[in-house]
Amino acid sequence: MEIIKGHQEGEWQDYYPGGKEEILLEVLKNMAATTGRATVLDSHMTVIFSIREIRRELRRVGHTASHVEVLTSLQILRRSSFILKSELGTSFEESYILGLGVMGEGKNKKVVVSFNTLTTAAVIDGDFRILDYETSIRISTLGRKLLERIVHTHKQLDGKGYSFGLIQFLTGAGFAVGKRLRESLRQLRVALDQITLDARFSENKTESEKFQREIKELERSYAKKLAEKSGYEDIRRQILNLQIRLDNPNIGKPRCKFTSYKIKPVYQAGGRKKVVDYVVTVYPTSPFINEIKKANWQQGEFKKAKARAEQSTQK
């Protein structure tokens, strides 16, 4: 796309959807699902907002973006596409957002975003689910993908644990595995630590003191890792997440999804003890199980009501 502003203004540059675009898309979906401003235009779910609203919401949930950065991310989402492949080999290409427009002038300028066919169909069919927004918006991509997998595919979640193979999960989530299995496992551990973070803190008056102690411990680890020039990025992210929680005491209470998790290596058959995969088991909290059961019930009631309405129309 053409660079909007800066010393290279007017030049063209390649962009790819990354973390900023993923977070912005989550904000847009939540805005459409919770503010009551979503509407259907040309058969697609659409929401209208101002850039100022988006920036304000990003700041509230611990992220920052300039006016130009928001516009750039919107263009990246509009012009980029992803490909879904089924086990049967069929493929389907779709844009992240289907339409992007601008209404009005000056301070009254509004942005119009139309969601893609998949999101619109999910809303119409009653299959669209917003994760716990306050939690998911602050965790890593892998953590968000894991929650999406459980929320959308595991209908009988219980306290006995939910197990999955690491390679299967990464492949299904669109991540390359190859020879980076250990690195992928490290990233998944970070995501799991984020999701289980709330379990380590009780809701009482000394909670802020516990956050402060945790931050100090992480800062010591950060200094050590920084000197070693490895692994310090993840520690820095944990410190930032804790600082956000400390500054906003009402965030994420009590929104822990897992009480704990276990990771077991899978060895290659034969004499060599080579690790070829990992089996991950997560243990969900009771509130998380109830959250999914409620969503399943709401989805079932929606589809029953839709079926009754269609039968009534046919009569």
Side-chain angles (χ1 to χ4, degrees):
M1 68 177 68
E2 188 174 358
I3 296 177
I4 302 172
K5 188 178 181 181
H7 66 280
Q8 294 178 315
E9 184 175 355
E11 295 185 12
W12 289 79
Q13 186 170 335
D14 289 334
Y15 290 88
Y16 298 89
K20 288 184 177 180
E21 287 69 44
E22 182 181 354
I23 290 170
L24 178 59
L25 190 58
E26 290 295 317
V27 170
L28 292 176
K29 287 182 177 181
N30 183 70
M31 183 178 292
T34 61
T35 62
R37 289 188 293 176
T39 184
V40 177
L41 294 177
D42 295 329
S43 302
H44 289 279
M45 189 173 76
T46 303
V47 65
I48 302 173
F49 56 88
S50 68
I51 299 296
R52 182 178 296 179
E53 287 180 279
I54 291 294
R55 294 183 63 196
R56 188 186 305 123
E57 175 62 12
L58 285 171
R59 284 196 300 271
R60 189 187 73 80
V61 295
H63 302 281
T64 58
S66 67
H67 187 94
V68 172
E69 286 175 332
V70 172
L71 286 175
T72 300
S73 291
L74 286 170
Q75 291 187 58
I76 292 172
L77 289 171
R78 172 65 186 91
R79 301 183 187 189
S80 302
S81 62
F82 58 89
I83 297 176
L84 296 176
K85 294 183 179 180
S86 72
E87 294 179 353
L88 300 176
T90 57
S91 61
F92 179 80
E93 185 172 0
E94 181 68 281
S95 298
Y96 286 88
I97 57 177
L98 195 64
L100 177 63
V102 179
M103 297 171 55
E105 297 290 339
K107 293 183 179 180
N108 297 322
K109 185 181 293 185
K110 299 285 186 179
V111 178
V112 183
V113 167
S114 295
F115 293 93
N116 62 32
T117 306
L118 297 172
T119 302
T120 300
V123 172
I124 294 174
D125 294 339
D127 293 329
F128 184 73
R129 295 186 182 185
I130 287 286
L131 297 174
D132 183 346
Y133 175 69
E134 297 290 345
T135 298
S136 65
I137 199 68
R138 292 177 171 83
I139 61 179
S140 65
T141 300
L142 271 179
R144 194 176 299 112
K145 294 294 183 183
L146 176 56
L147 289 183
E148 287 177 355
R149 174 191 176 104
I150 294 176
V151 168
H152 288 88
T153 64
H154 197 59
K155 303 297 185 183
Q156 303 299 324
L157 193 65
D158 55 35
K160 297 179 181 178
Y162 172 58
S163 300
F164 58 91
L166 177 59
I167 292 179
Q168 183 188 27
F169 164 65
L170 292 171
T171 304
F175 292 87
V177 182
K179 297 181 179 180
R180 302 180 57 201
L181 188 59
R182 287 187 177 274
E183 172 62 18
S184 299
L185 177 65
R186 185 189 66 81
Q187 293 180 12
L188 181 62
R189 283 184 184 275
V190 173
L192 289 169
D193 286 339
Q194 288 178 312
I195 298 173
T196 59
L197 182 66
D198 292 342
R200 300 207 301 267
F201 302 101
S202 60
E203 289 186 282
N204 54 46
K205 295 181 180 179
T206 62
E207 188 178 49
S208 61
E209 297 175 0
K210 293 182 179 180
F211 279 124
Q212 291 169 352
R213 286 198 299 270
E214 184 80 3
I215 289 173
K216 288 181 179 179
E217 291 175 5
L218 287 171
E219 285 175 343
R220 286 194 288 269
S221 300
Y222 176 77
K224 182 179 178 181
K225 290 293 183 180
L226 187 61
E228 297 173 355
K229 296 183 179 180
S230 66
Y232 56 87
E233 301 94 341
D234 295 330
I235 298 177
R236 181 175 180 274
R237 189 182 301 113
Q238 292 179 54
I239 293 173
L240 290 174
N241 287 335
L242 277 172
Q243 191 62 56
I244 290 170
R245 294 284 306 282
L246 184 62
D247 296 338
N248 301 272
N250 292 323
I251 290 175
K253 284 189 175 182
R255 285 176 172 154
C256 168
K257 303 305 178 187
F258 308 141
T259 58
S260 60
Y261 64 89
K262 291 182 180 179
I263 298 176
K264 182 179 179 181
V266 177
Y267 295 101
Q268 185 179 38
R272 294 181 59 192
K273 275 205 167 185
K274 179 182 178 182
V275 177
V276 294
D277 198 358
Y278 293 91
V279 174
V280 182
T281 303
V282 296
Y283 297 91
T285 62
S286 296
F288 187 34
I289 295 173
N290 293 334
E291 181 183 329
I292 294 179
K293 287 182 177 180
K294 181 179 179 180
N296 290 339
W297 177 82
Q298 290 176 336
Q299 179 177 327
E301 291 299 307
F302 179 92
K303 291 188 174 183
K304 289 178 183 178
K306 183 180 177 182
R308 288 194 296 267
E310 289 176 349
Q311 292 176 357
S312 177
T313 303
Q314 291 175 356
K315 292 180 180 179

